[in-house]
Amino acid sequence: MGRGFIGALFSQSGYHVTFVDIAEQIINQLNEEKSYQVKLATDKGETTKINNVSGLNNMTQENEVVEAIQQATYLTTAIGPNILPRIAPLIARGLKERVNSQNEKLYVIACENQIGATDILRNHILEHLDDETKGKLDGRIYFFNSAVDRIVPIQDNKGSLDVLVETYYEWVVETSEIIPEVQGMKIVEDLAPYIERKLFTVNTGHAVIAYLGYLSGKSTIDQTLADEKIAKQVQETLKETGAYLIKQYGLDEAEHTKYINKILERFKNPYLNDAVTRVARGPIRKLGPEDRLVRPATEAQKAGLSYSNLAKAIAAALLFDFNEDEEAQKLQAMIKENGVMNVLKEISKLEENSEVTKEVINQYEKLQQEVK
């Protein structure tokens, strides 16, 4: 995601891009080759060369990372929300050095599939800063939330830096500040409608396809959507999230229906060859109370709207037992030890007597019978 989307946009906007990672081979290649290709998942396979890039290993080059933070205009992440706490201490160290040596502005943006991801990162960073340094951040270090949308499947490029991505992308950043231009970045003053529309359409839809596809023995997302029964189920689920979004944000119903259909067409792209198990991975995070399945279900219930299809999607996620996914195995162990109801209470923060919980358990039992 960093190389194929965010970093590529910065490079194409004239910035030098320093990638920070623990993947030593990738970092070494970046420093040796100083470029890579972004390939579009189309029949023609068009490519764009990304130049002016380098890499740092944050395990062995902490001082160099701190120096890079001092020199940067933007600091972005694309690593997964669960990893944000791990990188916060080093970022905090870089910010402390920066505010003690200069007044230039730095813009921090977490590009993750998570509502308020940058706020989460900011809070973790602040835990590692003293009060004096915190007092110097205002007017120098800015934290902007964002919504990102581009499908980047598992790469099968045998050691190459090149990245396969879909043609479509969207990067929306929330701020009222005038900030240095980045081609492809859209600035808005209120991110909520964008992040929820994206998360509860793209990510919800993707997850539903993946979990139902896994239970049906499908290999890829496009193969799963070719199953008419599953495709219909996905449509019905996105009607439920759409009803909530339309009511909450006053979206135009016809326009949102077009948006849903556009998303589903993206998922059908066979050139992505996107594995069901990649999209389904990390079910514990995806079953979180603010994430793509539970949040729209609870919000729909509060609004008096239908949520039975979302409940079925939650149930399907609870049945994801892929043996190569650490979270899936942990989830199944929790269910075996404590039962589905307790797992929903612990992971999804759903109360035992809630209507959503009851419907999820109902759908879970039905799916169990179908799988058998």
Side-chain angles (χ1 to χ4, degrees), residues 115 147 170 172 174 188-201 241 244-246 248-251 256 259 295:
I115 294 173
E170 184 178 54
V172 185
E174 181 180 61
V188 300
E189 291 193 9
D190 182 11
L191 187 67
Y194 294 90
I195 186 68
E196 291 208 0
R197 184 190 68 156
K198 186 267 175 178
L199 190 61
F200 300 154
T201 311
T241 62
Y244 157 68
L245 292 166
I246 290 165
Q248 179 70 15
Y249 296 109
L251 304 183
H256 188 68
Y259 178 72
R295 171 73 181 271

Side-chain angles (χ1 to χ4, degrees), residues 58-79:
N58 58 298
M59 297 295 287
T60 60
Q61 296 178 288
E62 287 192 0
N63 291 336
E64 289 86 346
V65 174
V66 169
E67 185 177 342
I69 291 173
Q70 292 183 67
Q71 298 173 356
T73 302
Y74 283 95
L75 188 159
T76 66
T77 73
I79 56 173

Side-chain angles (χ1 to χ4, degrees), residues 112-127:
E112 314 291 351
N113 288 322
Q114 174 78 49
I115 294 173
T118 306
D119 291 339
I120 293 169
L121 175 61
R122 178 179 180 272
N123 290 337
H124 287 303
I125 290 171
L126 292 178
E127 291 173 2

Side-chain angles (χ1 to χ4, degrees), residues 39-45 153-154 164-166 222 266-274:
K39 181 178 179 181
L40 298 182
T42 64
D43 56 348
K44 296 179 182 178
I154 289 176
L164 177 71
V165 300
E166 69 165 330
D222 62 296
R266 289 167 58 196
F267 292 155
K268 292 177 183 177
N269 185 347
Y271 298 100
L272 286 169
N273 195 32
D274 203 3

Side-chain angles (χ1 to χ4, degrees), residues 63-248:
N63 291 336
E64 289 86 346
V65 174
V66 169
E67 185 177 342
I69 291 173
Q70 292 183 67
Q71 298 173 356
T73 302
Y74 283 95
L75 188 159
T76 66
T77 73
I79 56 173
N82 290 348
I83 311 299
L84 295 177
R86 302 186 198 176
I87 64 170
L90 185 55
I91 294 176
R93 183 180 156 195
L95 296 185
K96 181 174 182 178
E97 293 288 337
R98 182 179 177 112
V99 297
N100 284 330
S101 62
Q102 60 164 290
N103 294 318
E104 292 296 319
K105 296 176 180 179
L106 173 69
Y107 306 100
V108 180
I109 309 172
C111 304
E112 314 291 351
N113 288 322
Q114 174 78 49
I115 294 173
T118 306
D119 291 339
I120 293 169
L121 175 61
R122 178 179 180 272
N123 290 337
H124 287 303
I125 290 171
L126 292 178
E127 291 173 2
H128 300 278
L129 292 176
D130 57 77
D131 290 340
E132 182 182 354
T133 302
K134 290 177 186 177
K136 296 179 180 179
L137 298 182
D138 191 39
R140 300 181 189 178
I141 311 298
Y142 293 81
F143 295 87
F144 301 147
N145 285 308
S146 78
V148 289
D149 187 6
R150 190 172 214 178
I151 298 173
V152 184
I154 289 176
Q155 306 294 308
D156 184 21
N157 46 16
K158 299 176 182 178
S160 169
L161 289 172
D162 298 347
V163 188
L164 177 71
V165 300
E166 69 165 330
T167 304
Y168 178 90
Y169 68 82
E170 184 178 54
W171 185 19
V172 185
V173 174
E174 181 180 61
T175 180
S176 56
E177 300 286 332
I178 297 174
I179 61 176
E181 183 180 359
V182 181
Q183 296 175 22
M185 177 195 286
K186 179 177 181 177
I187 305 297
V188 300
E189 291 193 9
D190 182 11
L191 187 67
Y194 294 90
I195 186 68
E196 291 208 0
R197 184 190 68 156
K198 186 267 175 178
L199 190 61
F200 300 154
T201 311
V202 180
N203 295 97
T204 301
H206 226 183
V208 176
I209 297 165
Y211 291 125
L212 294 178
Y214 178 79
L215 294 179
S216 300
K218 312 292 187 185
S219 298
T220 63
I221 295 298
D222 62 296
Q223 288 173 5
T224 303
L225 269 182
D227 185 315
E228 290 185 10
K229 183 179 178 182
I230 295 177
K232 178 66 175 176
Q233 182 64 43
V234 176
Q235 281 272 12
E236 292 302 310
T237 308
L238 294 184
K239 281 183 183 178
E240 290 183 345
T241 62
Y244 157 68
L245 292 166
I246 290 165
K247 184 171 184 177
Q248 179 70 15

